[in-house]
Amino acid sequence: MIDQITAQHEKEYGERPTVITSAPGKIDLLGEHSEVGQGYVLSLAIDRRFYIAASHREDNSLRFFSANLNERKKSSIAGLKYKREDRWANYSKGVIDALIHMGFNIRGLNLTLFSEVPMGIGLASSSAMTVATVCAMKEFFNLDISDAQIIEAARSSESRFMNLHEGIRSPMVSFYAKADHLALLDIRSLKVEYPEFPREPVVLMVTDSRVTESMRDDEKAALEHSCQECINALDIGDSGLLFRDLSKDDLSSTVEGLSERSRRICLHIIKENVRIKDFRKALNDKRFSMAGRILFRSHESLRDLLEISCPELDWLAKRAVETEGVYGSRMIGSGYGGCTVTLIDSHLLKNYEERMEEYDRIFGFKASVFPVHPGEGARVHLTES
Ligand code: ADP
Ligand code: MG
């Protein structure tokens, strides 16, 4: 990859890069909607990465070349603002803008983007891109920047510059992840723990339903609103208790002042926090059947309580758990489409792949299936600046 991006950069700009960084895509195994309740999220970086190469310019202009898309965009330090027509380049522009806002001195440069992370299917290619970009800026301009600031700059590219409803968990995972380990995020303290993920005898498969994820930003905001509504209805705002300290008994029946929809959303989030603890223990004890059951229970909850699944994802998760050798499966990503993740006995992988061939016959398009293993977080491959 390093040779390839170096060659791409050289061909595009007529000079070799002096900095190359990369950051991984990621998936959440459990808890992707718990960020709003300041709960826990269990994620992993995947072993597919987003590479950025950078070289010097004499002026203050910014050149972006996406080798994947074979597209070019340009901007300048003085002219950094969100432009719809700049599409993908806005992610990089947003990072540079965030760093300038933080007081760092950034000048013109040439950037090449080259990624192995499939885009737009919930594997966080956008976070991989923003995190890799911040790391490239840090190396290129020798920035005295903290890890927390790196994550904030990556996040703010999407949340502030692009005005998307983007949380902190994806840049956190992409930056902090460790190979062969899951990343257990505490969204309140922003601390990460690293439960080990075995290389054998299980494997995680991502299956792309080919249905586009389509949760809207206002729906994401509604989840947040539900948590607040719950805190108000239970009147725990002043008690020092957090949303995540609630137990499912608090919400097992109707609560005055809390709409039924919000109660169900909150119940999902609370139960998901418990599932994360149980999953971690099951994995640690190598009780894979138990770990798999937890994943599928989470899928059922996403389907029935949060109501963000769709027929294709339900089919994928349900057929998966009926297949010999599969421990569990669930949808991942923000909702209504995207991928599932499936925990499988690595010796019986063939069964799963064969079973997924039926998808094409039923839905009329092929689900693509590929293994993922926990990969390492952001890293620097070359720095000559
Ligand atoms: P996800 O982060 O789940 O992959 P997003 O919609 O958040 O989906 O981000 C995908 C967007 O990120 C793409 O539409 C594109 O703008 C940008 N992107 C991802 N990979 C690349 C790439 N290799 N080159 C240019 N832009 C990319
Ligand atoms: Mg994204």
Side-chain angles (χ1 to χ4, degrees):
M1 248 316 180
I2 303 306
D3 290 347
Q4 284 180 51
I5 193 169
T6 302
Q8 294 271 12
H9 191 89
E10 213 171 348
K11 188 160 161 246
E12 180 66 18
Y13 299 109
E15 62 194 7
R16 291 172 73 79
T18 54
V19 165
I20 300 177
T21 58
S22 71
K26 64 134 259 275
I27 60 174
D28 301 311
L29 266 189
L30 288 164
E32 58 273 79
H33 297 286
S34 306
E35 201 177 321
V36 293
Q38 293 200 343
Y40 301 93
V41 188
L42 186 63
S43 311
L44 59 134
I46 60 172
D47 41 0
R48 291 178 178 225
R49 309 183 68 81
F50 201 117
Y51 294 82
I52 305 257
S55 66
H56 177 75
R57 287 187 67 86
E58 292 298 333
D59 58 14
N60 266 336
S61 70
L62 297 163
R63 300 289 158 106
F64 307 100
F65 168 54
S66 168
N68 300 92
L69 301 173
N70 193 25
E71 280 182 22
R72 290 142 192 92
K73 299 281 176 192
K74 55 182 181 183
S75 183
S76 69
I77 297 291
L80 278 173
K81 58 173 195 285
Y82 175 83
K83 280 195 195 143
R84 207 186 149 89
E85 64 272 24
D86 279 347
R87 291 176 296 113
W88 52 272
N90 284 307
Y91 291 94
S92 295
K93 283 164 53 184
V95 163
I96 295 169
D97 189 61
L99 292 171
I100 292 171
H101 265 85
M102 286 175 176
F104 294 110
N105 186 14
I106 310 285
R107 296 178 303 276
L109 80 181
N110 295 324
L111 293 174
T112 297
L113 285 49
F114 198 24
S115 168
E116 308 161 335
V117 188
M119 53 180 106
I121 62 167
L123 305 187
S125 68
S126 61
S127 295
M129 176 168 170
T130 54
V131 170
T133 309
V134 191
C135 294
M137 297 300 125
K138 175 184 174 182
E139 292 307 313
F140 201 89
F141 297 109
N142 276 318
L143 306 182
D144 184 15
I145 185 172
S146 68
D147 292 353
Q149 282 177 306
I150 290 178
I151 288 160
E152 192 43 43
R155 177 202 193 171
S156 109
S157 169
E158 295 196 54
S159 63
R160 192 183 56 84
F161 192 78
M162 299 183 66
N163 203 18
L164 299 170
H165 204 275
E166 188 60 34
I168 200 161
R169 67 181 193 285
S170 298
M172 272 180 83
V173 178
S174 183
F175 183 70
Y176 284 126
K178 285 193 175 52
D180 297 326
H181 290 77
L182 304 178
L184 174 56
L185 316 183
D186 178 334
I187 297 296
R188 181 168 169 81
S189 67
L190 298 182
K191 293 224 161 68
V192 189
E193 288 178 45
Y194 299 96
E196 201 171 340
F197 190 83
R199 274 217 172 254
E200 278 285 324
V202 283
V203 68
L204 288 170
M205 295 295 270
V206 167
T207 304
D208 178 7
S209 70
R210 300 282 165 98
V211 180
T212 316
E213 280 184 296
S214 55
M215 185 183 265
R216 295 188 315 266
D217 277 0
D218 61 307
E219 290 178 281
K220 293 183 189 171
L223 296 183
E224 237 162 80
H225 175 77
S226 292
C227 293
Q228 195 52 50
E229 200 186 302
C230 182
I231 289 169
N232 297 344
L234 293 171
D235 203 16
I236 57 166
D238 299 329
S239 65
L241 278 176
L242 291 173
F243 180 80
R244 74 186 197 193
D245 299 323
L246 297 175
S247 95
K248 66 181 192 316
D249 301 336
D250 294 316
L251 297 178
S252 57
S253 56
T254 344
V255 178
E256 210 181 303
L258 185 63
S259 69
E260 179 57 11
R261 174 83 186 120
S262 289
R263 185 184 74 83
R264 291 158 74 91
I265 289 171
C266 294
L267 192 55
H268 166 82
I269 296 176
I270 289 165
K271 286 181 158 181
E272 193 83 345
N273 275 342
V274 178
R275 278 192 283 268
I276 288 177
K277 288 200 188 104
D278 294 347
F279 181 90
R280 183 184 185 171
K281 177 147 190 353
L283 199 64
N284 189 50
D285 299 344
K286 304 222 173 329
R287 292 170 64 207
F288 301 123
S289 304
M290 169 58 81
R293 271 200 298 280
I294 294 168
L295 291 181
F296 189 64
R297 250 185 254 138
S298 172
H299 179 81
E300 292 177 315
S301 181
L302 290 162
R303 181 190 68 199
D304 302 335
L305 288 179
L306 220 53
E307 299 181 53
I308 58 163
S309 189
C310 64
E312 290 85 352
L313 292 172
D314 287 338
W315 188 95
L316 289 175
K318 187 93 193 317
R319 292 292 98 79
V321 296
E322 288 168 5
T323 307
E324 194 199 350
V326 170
Y327 294 117
S329 183
R330 80 192 277 279
M331 60 174 285
I332 53 175
S334 68
Y336 308 118
C339 302
T340 57
V341 65
T342 305
L343 183 70
I344 309 177
D345 178 338
S346 48
H347 307 294
L348 295 171
L349 211 53
K350 265 252 133 333
N351 289 349
Y352 178 72
E353 285 166 340
E354 279 168 21
R355 191 75 205 254
M356 288 303 116
E357 284 169 15
E358 282 173 37
Y359 185 85
D360 189 8
R361 284 203 291 282
I362 293 172
F363 295 103
F365 41 97
K366 246 182 151 35
S368 66
V369 182
F370 53 93
V372 289
H373 186 76
E376 66 173 329
R379 56 170 293 203
V380 177
H381 301 276
L382 168 76
T383 179
E384 291 172 359
S385 288

